[in-house]
Amino acid sequence: MASDFDRRRFLKAASAAGLVGLAGCSGGPSGDGSDGSDGSDGNESSDGSDGSDGSDGSDGSDGSDASATVGIVYSDGGLGDNSFNDAAKQGILDAEEEFGIEYDESEPDGTGEFGQYQQRYASSTEPDYDLVSCIGFNQGDALTETAPQFPDQDFMVVDTVVEESNVASYLFREHEGSFLMGVLAANLTETDFSAGAGSTAPDSTNVGFIGGVDSPVIRRFQAGFEAGVDYASDDVDVTTSYVGSYADPSGGQEQALSMYQSGADIVYHAAGATGVGVFQAAQEEGRFAFGVDQDQSVSEESFADVILASMVKRVDTAVYESISNVIDDDHQGGETVALGLESNGVECVYGQEIGDEVPDEVVTAVSDARQEIIDGNIEVPETTSN
């Protein structure tokens, strides 16, 4: 994994000078030299190379052998987070396998570059991108400006709504999935339970939540988690904190250690790569953690002995479905698609190594709460009280 981060840093450094005047570029973001670049513009081709040789098929051809050509702009933290961005990448890989698409991908250094990459894909003619995928709520402002400038370009965006006729917006009911994590946490923290490298403290009366960047999306995670804890127990409190980054494992570790040492025996994170620090702290203190976005007991298998469950958010499904729609000439432009428990857009997934050791009565409590939400008997809040 370290090599993936090293490669991304190299690609970003190579691309810094090429970011000026991207909107006027007529060539594809992987570059064939026509824009004066060497192809190393921050994109990584579908085979994991730097895209300079066009090895993913987007080499200045018109992509005629592909069912579609897709450009994807990742969110903060980039690839290698084993969480949100990697889930989006999985959707691209699934579409590549299923439909034979070609794609280019970009990992901006920050919000100031989102619009540049969006416009570069949209203005490209070699290749001509059938869809531009924008991953993350923080791309919303840039896409609100970009989309009207390119009315014939199809876009999709995850975690925010852009009300333009050429943008399909995909939202997730993170609060519903997080509610189940709260039910699971509250029941377990009141139980004398051990599995793998972790155990609960019999006298514990609190659990923890760590967010990445304080935003409406992450607040939905927090709100649902707190509501689930309250639903399951009147005696368990939730300690919360925000690191301020999706790529700060040391910050996540520091805050999680503080929570564990203050009595929390389970910490749930919604913090991208920052969450790795939460897992490190859980192992260090012999406690438990909940993952997010992907089944992190698989994607972060070295911490599988403390990851009891993950709130899986099917970003891969949103990316895959949006590509499928474009191929079928059924782009959902101007529409908002909300994915929740009833569509398995969010799920509580038990850890591969120790999840099956969760007591049956706790599993039943989580399952019952899921059905109550689907049936409309539980209304999960989307906002926090503080």
Side-chain angles (χ1 to χ4, degrees):
M1 189 58 62
S3 60
D4 291 337
F5 280 108
D6 290 343
R7 181 175 65 251
R8 186 167 74 251
R9 281 194 291 267
F10 168 76
L11 293 173
K12 287 178 178 177
S15 70
L19 289 174
V20 179
L22 293 179
C25 177
S26 62
S30 62
D32 59 1
S34 60
D35 63 350
S37 73
D38 62 357
S40 300
D41 60 3
N43 301 315
E44 188 177 341
S45 71
S46 58
D47 67 353
S49 72
D50 64 5
S52 58
D53 62 357
S55 56
D56 66 346
S58 299
D59 57 356
S61 69
D62 60 6
S64 58
D65 292 336
S67 58
T69 304
V70 179
I72 183 167
V73 184
Y74 293 109
S75 186
D76 291 4
L79 292 171
D81 61 1
N82 286 332
S83 186
F84 184 68
N85 285 306
D86 283 2
K89 173 66 175 276
Q90 187 59 53
I92 285 280
L93 295 177
D94 291 344
E96 181 186 42
E97 179 178 359
E98 180 70 19
F99 305 121
I101 68 162
E102 295 172 350
Y103 69 93
D104 279 303
E105 53 193 358
S106 299
E107 301 175 69
D109 282 316
T111 57
E113 294 181 4
F114 287 137
Q116 295 172 331
Y117 280 112
Q118 293 168 5
Q119 292 177 33
R120 188 169 189 178
Y121 284 123
S123 62
S124 170
T125 56
E126 295 183 0
D128 184 1
Y129 290 91
D130 299 287
L131 178 69
V132 179
S133 297
C134 305
I135 308 304
F137 73 92
N138 46 9
Q139 299 208 41
D141 289 344
L143 188 56
T144 298
E145 295 184 7
T146 299
Q149 298 177 44
F150 302 92
D152 296 328
Q153 174 67 62
D154 289 339
F155 296 90
M156 68 85 71
V157 65
V158 173
D159 275 352
T160 190
V161 175
V162 174
E163 295 180 348
E164 296 291 340
S165 61
N166 55 340
V167 179
S169 302
Y170 288 82
L171 298 179
F172 291 85
R173 298 191 181 105
E174 298 94 349
H175 50 297
E176 293 182 353
S178 294
F179 186 96
L180 302 186
M181 308 308 288
V183 172
L184 177 59
N187 276 279
L188 284 176
T189 199
E190 294 185 320
T191 303
D192 187 5
F193 173 73
S194 62
S199 64
T200 59
D203 58 348
S204 174
T205 59
N206 69 350
V207 295
F209 173 84
I210 291 178
V213 175
D214 192 347
S215 65
V217 171
I218 305 303
R219 286 280 175 172
R220 286 202 295 272
F221 283 94
Q222 178 188 339
F225 185 64
E226 290 174 339
V229 169
D230 289 343
Y231 174 82
S233 176
D234 293 330
D235 300 323
V236 179
D237 297 319
V238 180
T239 302
T240 66
S241 67
Y242 284 79
V243 177
S245 171
Y246 296 116
D248 183 8
S250 62
Q253 182 180 24
E254 180 181 353
Q255 294 193 18
L257 283 172
S258 176
M259 291 181 180
Y260 289 127
Q261 292 168 3
S262 296
D265 46 26
I266 301 169
V267 175
Y268 172 39
H269 88 88
T274 296
V276 171
V278 176
F279 302 148
Q280 292 170 333
Q283 281 188 334
E284 191 173 328
E285 295 296 316
R287 299 303 185 199
F288 295 113
F290 292 163
V292 77
D293 293 333
Q294 293 185 316
D295 180 352
Q296 293 199 287
S297 71
V298 175
S299 63
E300 294 286 357
E301 63 179 347
S302 61
F303 302 106
D305 57 357
V306 294
I307 300 175
L308 271 176
S310 296
M311 204 294 280
V312 174
K313 178 175 170 179
R314 299 308 301 268
V315 181
D316 56 331
T317 297
V319 172
Y320 175 91
E321 290 296 334
S322 67
I323 295 171
S324 176
N325 289 339
V326 166
I327 292 171
D328 292 339
D329 197 25
D330 188 29
H331 179 59
Q332 305 295 302
E335 298 184 19
T336 299
V337 180
L339 302 173
L341 289 175
E342 78 290 344
S343 60
N344 295 321
V346 293
E347 304 175 77
C348 171
V349 175
Y350 295 95
Q352 291 287 307
E353 183 171 322
I354 60 175
D356 59 358
E357 298 186 43
V358 175
D360 289 344
E361 61 270 22
V362 176
V363 173
T364 298
V366 173
S367 178
D368 289 347
R370 177 183 183 275
Q371 193 59 50
E372 288 289 287
I373 293 171
I374 292 173
D375 291 343
N377 297 325
I378 297 176
E379 184 174 348
V380 183
E382 298 184 45
T383 58
T384 59
S385 57
N386 57 350

